[in-house]
Every structure is written in C-alpha cells, then in structure tokens.
Amino acid sequence: MPAPDLLGAPLRILLLSPQPWTGLQVSKHHYARELAALGHDVMFANPPTGDGAIRLTPSDTANITLLDHPRMPLARAKYRAKPLFIAAARFRARAIRKLAGAIDLLWDFDNARQFADHRPFGASASILHVVDRLDPGDDMHRHANLILGIDASIVGDIAPEGRPSHVVGHGLSPLFAEAARARLATPRIRAAEEKVRIGFIGNLAQPAMDRARVAALVAAHPDCIFRFIGPVQGETSEIRAWVDGLTAQPNVEMAGLLTGDALIAETADVDIWLLPYDLARDRNRGVNSHKLLEYFALGGEVVSSAIAAQAGAPGIFMAAPGAPDELAAKLDAAIAVVREGRDTGWRARAELALGNSYRANLDRIAAHLKDSRT
C-alpha cells in the first residue's frame, strides 16, 4: 500500500497529543494547524482525562476536530504491569477507531506513551514523532511506519535497525515566521542612549530553567532591563519565591503570558534574547530547543546555554558544553555588541529560522513518509 501523501489529496489524520488543544501552543498544535491549512481533516486527540464517553467536538479552527477520551484503564499499572496496560490501551484504540472512522494517518506525538501499539487504530500508516525525550526505559517503537525525532540520540533510543527513521528539528510557527519577515523588511533602528533590553520567552516554571544563574545575571546588570514574557505554570513555593524576587528588582519587567500580535509587539525593542538552562535538569539534555528558532526570528543577539542543534548558528553567543559559567561572559559580550552597534549576523539567523518553518518541516516529513513505504 502506498504511503498517504501529505501534499496531495485531503487525508483523515488522527494526531495524538500529550498536551490539550487549549493552553500553550506547542509543536503538536502547529503541525495540526499546518495540516488543516493544507485541507486535511485533522482529529486532535487530547490527553485522556476524567470520566465519560469518547467524543468528537468542533475546535476553533477549520478542519480540526477535537477528540476527548477518559482516563486510560489500568493507568497506574503502566510500568508495573506493562502487558496489562498495553492490552487495555488496544481496546481503547479500537474504540476510538470505531467512533472516528477510517484513518489514513496516525501521527503520534505522545511522549507519555498512552498507546504502545499503533496497529489497533487501523490507520493506513503511522508516524511516531518524538519532540521530547521519552521516559527512561521507554524504547518502544509502537510499530510505527516512520519514526521522527529532534535529535539523532532520541531517534536512536527507539528506532530498531532497519526501521525508517529521520531527524526533523523543531519548527518555526507562522506567528514568528511573519515576525521574521517583517523585521527583515524593516529593521529596527536603535537609539544609542537606550538601555539594553534582555528578553526571555517561555514558562518561568520550566524545570530546566537555571534560576540561580538568572537571578545572578539580573543582579550583575542593574543598568539593563530584563523582560520575562510567559506564564508560571506548574509552580512550587521555591519557584514562586524566585519569581517574586525577580519581580521586586527595579530592572525587571514581568509581561506575563502573551499570545499572537500582543506577544510580538512586546518583543519589538528587545536587544538580546536569553536561553538560560541548567542542562542537568533539561529533559532533552541540551540537544535542541524550539525557543532558539523563535529568538532568531525576532532579530537581536542570542545568548544561550549549550544547545547542540544550534551551536553553529551565525553569531550566537553560546556557552560551551559542560561550561555553564560561561553564560555570564557571553551575556557581557552580547551587551558590548549591542552598545557598539555591531552586527553579528541577525539577518542570517532570521533566514535560518524561516528555513525551518513548520510548513518546511511538513515538506521534509512528506518526503520521508513516501520513502518509508517504497
């Protein structure tokens, strides 16, 4: 049977997501929207929650239907009695198939492995797409026809020899792609007397955030403005104390969660973007980060902890692997560049980001899917 053609006639696609449709928009949401924009009929399966029946409801986007289903049977036995959980999940997959009807393509982003076997869905083809490292010991390929991951080490954890697998990096959402094109067309003119503004976008409760280092950087640069854009989701008392401490600093701005045009507007005067991760606490161990593509798209300098996928990006100020203390010196160097008005290649970084849009990634995945069945 030939592989479903992502760039051809409309397909009926079931997308399994570990994050719900509402809330922070991440890779699963962006792929769903791109597929819908191409005319495909996308069923976005929210993670299992609560009780009740399996149901389909319209979303806020054309060609996307939401699929909700209750908590998985034997969920607490997922690791202690794996065969029982897998067997129960097969029954759930068949029930979803019965309600959803024929499925041309199953696209599984679920790093929580609710479904260890794709076959009961009866899809013509399936993709296992790993954008976050799986739990330790979870090396099941789920009988997918194609395995994709954001890094070769992640793909290697789950793809047995001979099974089609490829590295596909993070994508750039249409919102940031539009911002990149706008800034390439009309570059910012910065007044020399302006204070240097340093920005961060993302969840401030992100487990990998190097909170002690961030606090030290803020304290060391009272003449710079630090702007944090994003929510505090999953906070603990320790994280709340850290956020409150930052908020109390006179050189800190807390913009909160922003989306769409409001988010892009808040980035217009930022000179330097900061990615301060403690890689020992990073689930993906510093192999890749979607945030860097967004930073590249927005222009300005980029100061980052060691992220392997973008280590060669033009003009990036990146600490070496295993040397997190270098981040302070990298930030000092970026501040000097801004104040002196030097260009480290922001245009090249913006073009790099545009070359990795979700649509560009879809084109790559379509080719891989076709090759997987030839």
Side-chain angles (χ1 to χ4, degrees):
M1 179 184 296
D5 184 1
L6 288 174
L7 304 180
L11 302 174
R12 190 160 174 77
I13 299 172
L14 175 61
L15 188 152
L16 305 180
S17 171
Q19 287 92 26
W21 179 253
T22 56
L24 283 176
Q25 301 291 285
V26 290
S27 56
K28 302 86 181 171
H29 305 80
H30 297 312
Y31 277 112
R33 293 182 193 278
E34 290 291 341
L35 291 165
L38 287 172
H40 299 304
D41 180 8
V42 179
M43 292 172 287
F44 187 97
N46 286 315
T49 183
D51 300 311
I54 302 169
R55 63 187 185 278
L56 293 168
T57 56
S59 77
D60 55 359
T61 301
N63 295 335
I64 297 179
T65 303
L66 303 182
L67 188 149
D68 290 288
H69 60 118
R71 282 187 293 264
M72 298 291 287
L74 301 174
R76 294 188 178 183
K78 180 176 176 181
Y79 295 107
R80 291 184 290 106
K82 184 187 292 186
L84 289 176
F85 177 76
I86 291 173
R90 288 194 181 107
F91 282 105
R92 174 62 57 81
R94 294 187 184 103
I96 289 174
R97 176 188 177 185
K98 183 177 180 180
L99 176 67
I103 301 168
D104 296 307
L105 177 64
L106 174 69
W107 201 321
D108 184 358
F109 287 92
D110 188 9
N111 59 302
R113 189 179 54 74
Q114 297 296 331
F115 297 97
D117 189 348
H118 288 173
R119 293 173 297 181
F121 286 100
S124 299
S126 74
I127 298 172
L128 173 56
H129 196 155
V130 186
V131 294
D132 288 301
R133 194 176 294 276
L134 301 176
D135 291 336
D138 184 2
D139 58 358
M140 302 182 72
H141 55 70
R142 308 184 197 180
H143 300 279
N145 300 107
L146 175 64
I147 297 173
L148 306 174
I150 59 167
D151 183 75
S153 65
I154 291 177
V155 173
D157 285 345
I158 54 175
E161 185 175 352
R163 188 171 292 271
S165 58
H166 298 274
V167 173
V168 175
H170 285 295
L172 184 73
S173 71
L175 176 69
F176 283 92
E178 182 180 351
R181 287 188 285 268
R183 293 181 186 187
L184 285 167
T186 310
R188 175 189 171 203
I189 299 175
R190 184 182 187 278
E193 67 275 10
E194 286 185 59
K195 283 191 174 184
V196 174
R197 286 177 169 81
I198 300 163
F200 171 85
I201 301 174
N203 181 12
L204 294 177
Q206 153 70 249
M209 179 77 82
D210 194 339
R211 277 173 269 281
R213 200 171 303 279
V214 169
L217 292 174
V218 169
H221 297 283
D223 54 342
C224 297
I225 303 296
F226 286 78
R227 181 176 299 158
F228 296 91
I229 306 171
V232 186
Q233 289 191 347
E235 69 175 87
T236 62
S237 58
E238 178 186 0
I239 291 172
R240 174 44 56 189
W242 173 75
V243 170
D244 289 345
L246 286 181
T247 304
Q249 300 306 309
N251 62 330
V252 167
E253 299 174 351
M254 290 289 184
L257 174 62
L258 297 173
T259 59
D261 292 341
L263 168 61
I264 299 304
E266 196 70 11
T267 70
D269 60 351
V270 173
D271 301 296
I272 299 170
W273 293 105
L274 183 62
L275 184 71
Y277 280 180
D278 178 350
L279 300 187
R281 295 187 295 175
D282 179 16
R283 183 183 184 97
N284 291 325
R285 304 173 199 163
V287 298
N288 209 332
S289 171
H290 71 90
K291 202 177 303 298
L292 287 184
L293 289 181
E294 295 173 356
Y295 286 173
F296 295 165
L298 294 171
E301 305 306 322
V302 179
V303 176
S304 176
S305 306
I307 301 293
Q310 303 297 353
I316 191 170
F317 294 89
M318 182 177 287
D325 290 343
E326 290 184 0
L327 199 66
K330 296 296 182 181
L331 180 57
D332 289 343
I335 291 171
V337 160
V338 170
R339 287 175 172 159
E340 294 165 14
R342 287 186 276 136
D343 180 4
T344 61
W346 72 271
R347 287 182 174 276
R349 292 191 292 272
E351 294 288 358
L352 187 156
L354 286 171
N356 289 276
S357 67
Y358 279 103
R359 177 54 202 270
N361 276 2
L362 270 184
D363 291 345
R364 298 181 182 106
I365 294 168
H368 294 325
L369 187 60
K370 182 178 179 181
D371 291 344
S372 74
R373 302 294 289 272
T374 57

